[in-house]
Amino acid sequence: MSETRLVVGPFNRVEGDLEVHLELSEGAVASARVNAPLYRGFERMLEGKDPRDALTITPRICGICSISQSVAAAFALGEAIGLRPAPQGALVAALIHAVENAADHLTHFNLFFMPDFCRPAYEGRPWAAQAGARFAPGVGGAARAAVEARAELMHILGMLAGKWPHTLAVQPGGVTRAPGPREVVRIGAHLRAFRRYLETVVFGAPLEAFVALETAEAAAGWGAGDAGVFFEIAADLGLADLGRGAGRYLSFGAYPIEEGHIFASGLWEKGAREFDAGAISEDLSHAWMLGPARHPFEGETRPDEEMRAAAYSWCKAPRLEGAPVEVGALARQVVDGHPLGRALVAGAGGGVMARVAARLLELARLVIEMERIVARLDPAARFMTRGGEVPEAGRGAGLVEAARGGLGHWLRIERGRIASYQIIAPTTWNFSPRDARGVPGPLEAALVGVPVAPGEAVPVAVQHVVRSFDPCMVCTVH
Amino acid sequence: MKVLWLQAAGCGGCTMSLLCAENPNVFQLLEDAGVGFLWHPSFSLETGAEVAALLARIEAGEVALDVLAVEGAVARGPRGTGRFQMLGGTGRSMLDWVERLAPLAGDVVAVGSCAAFGGVTSAGGNPSDAVGLGYEGTLRGGILAPEFRARSGRPVINIAGCPTHPDWVTETLLLLKAGALGAEALDALGRPLFYAQHLVHHGCPKNEFYEYKASAVAFSDQGCMMEHLGCIGTQAVGDCNIRPWNGEGSCTRGGYPCINCTAPEFEEPRHAFTETPKIAGIPVGLPTDMPKAWFMALASLSKAATPERIAKNAVADRVVVPPSIRRPKGGK
């Protein structure tokens, strides 16, 4: 049968650019190679700088997960200094971070993922007209409602973080602005407006009803709101079985407050267990990077300017205990033990439907968690712990959960300056190239078997699988 | 008016900020004004081969390019090849694409400080050898020559900022559409004056602290951040405190310093961003349009005259001494 190659790119709605090389056989993807085609070298920029400068520079790695980068940098620096945030400061940081993550999930669903169902290839499907009316880029009703709801939600960030993206409000000791009583009630008002929007437009029902779902069948039968449009499409196109992952999920744990993480940390591999951050390494065999595989505390970033033929991406290949992991909202909800999260990966790794359903689930859960945080804010408390000098030598790691999954910063300080700074972003995990053993990254593996019709220059099923991961390409290589 | 938007070596944050436009939302606002996109990497349906075909038609002159908007600096490395950023599926670097398309454009708009001057992408040792379209830091000439003019005759329009305020971008596009952006509408660095003629200091809620040099000593203090925490809002252009961000925010309102993100080379202040460099205890880099001796004299006078209310509030994280209530003359 015919074997052909196909290069797919430029790939949009992926927060940056992406190029996917496919080998096709028998009308399906036989193998995939994923290229992150942009190198900026943030890790190198930071070397020799005052460690506090990481708080200004690293958020600018990414315009969509900027606060995640802030929080990771603050944790890494805080660990090196030996400074923990004031408990109320940690709550505000968690709130700021949750707002960004909720906004990202909303943006992904409405602006990045759903528009692909408006493609001419789907004309004639029973849901095509509705998909077009709701999700046509720039004009769809859902797209416009989403940007308005998102902009108002972000008023919380204007108030607590000064602006979005690229805030300096999150510091190792807490947050720079202490909310007073009137800020707290105003934040509550913004959250109620956001809940009303979600319940009216996205879910068509109380958030608690979606959060109460426990089986994949119940989710698939959800008929209300724009979520219902998605589940109808998912059933018609078989998205549950499209782009299934390997079923190995990692979460660093999200929103650390006094009592622990709001969403648990751990590794899921047919069961949940703790993970060892010391067992992370970055393999460079197929990246245009020089040097051996190392743990990020010992790692380095030296681009291969020759761009050797054996490699095909600027992205390194992070591995946990030597094997790839999938990260993201699905991983978080599986690790956290939400019944729907676990049900979506029962028997096999989740596919396109599971990744998107988990993101919707988390969006609903996040609003409930943000409401709980606001109820606990105490305007009389301190929001910043003072003190803490940057040491002459030290190190620290900041492991957080961005919307797209686990994000890690590893900082080493020598002679009071940054000696090394290594970053592994969520999409570095998900869109990693092969490692030295030839094991493909999670997207590369998920693309195998995806159908590509003869002559299809923009294979639509490939679009769904790629975007189901909610990639952030500017973070990937950084 | 049709805009082709390309994302070069940057973070995408100016697009993300653009989505925060309000009253009306960004899509409605641009549609009402008659501004559309030939293609936008975050908003458009078209992807892959569809985009490559569009770019080929623009390059061949078959599709008119009214505005080329570039977000992000342009990577020239390694060794001048531009291969640190290849535009997926095209086998060509972003450097090559921008160089080829810019002369075809009615106007070229650099969105954000990276596209304008290099910005954070060129920080540290500038690992990707990135520059702006029309500038390399403060030097004229980026990937485009100093004498570059778009078809309109205008130089590159630099909507500098990190990120850009959504209104800076939408209002620039609306002014272009209305034919109301004359040469006199840009400052010497090509930044639209409607926001670059203001200073971040204008409308800063810490102005009263500034008047008395009642300074914040550490983060979360309410006082002026110029003396100790690296704030350069008195010299930085931007209307950030006149029309706030995300509802009611700005950097200084958020309790952290202005780092002059609308200026070339802000990414390399040559000191820690959040610490004011001092010589013999006196901050360097005082306001430039005022004789230094006068500034020092006024500062020491006003410091000596600082009311207790302002002195106490400056080093607290909330108002601890409210203004006294002024009794009307002849009142009971």
Side-chain angles (χ1 to χ4, degrees), chain A residues 144-163:
Chain A
R144 291 197 172 180
V147 293
E148 289 184 358
R150 174 185 177 280
E152 189 189 338
L153 176 69
M154 287 203 169
H155 285 204
I156 297 174
L157 300 182
M159 195 175 296
L160 294 175
K163 71 178 195 300

Side-chain angles (χ1 to χ4, degrees), chain A residues 49 57 83 93 96 125 146 217 246 257 267 273 276 284 319 345 352-353 356 361 374 411 422 435 456:
Chain A
K49 288 193 179 295
I57 292 176
L83 184 64
I96 290 172
R125 291 282 177 182
E217 295 70 32
I257 56 176
L267 177 69
R273 61 180 166 100
D276 173 13
L284 310 184
R319 297 291 186 259
V345 301
V352 170
M353 193 277 229
V356 176
L361 168 65
V374 174
L411 158 72
Q422 289 286 304
D435 58 29
E456 205 182 9

Side-chain angles (χ1 to χ4, degrees), chain B residues 91-180:
Chain B
R92 290 165 62 180
S93 65
M94 186 60 79
L95 170 68
D96 182 44
W97 276 111
V98 176
E99 282 178 338
R100 291 297 298 269
L101 294 177
L104 305 175
D107 275 294
V108 177
V109 177
V111 182
S113 292
C114 291
F117 310 120
V120 165
T121 302
S122 65
N126 193 0
S128 65
D129 193 17
V131 289
L133 300 184
Y135 283 83
E136 180 167 8
T138 52
L139 300 175
R140 247 178 226 282
I143 63 161
L144 303 174
E147 57 275 11
F148 172 84
R149 294 292 179 272
R151 281 193 288 107
S152 67
R154 274 184 283 267
V156 176
I157 298 163
N158 288 326
I159 313 177
C162 187
T164 41
H165 191 293
D167 297 354
W168 300 349
V169 177
T170 56
E171 288 172 14
T172 300
L173 293 175
L174 264 55
L175 284 165
L176 281 174
K177 175 67 172 63

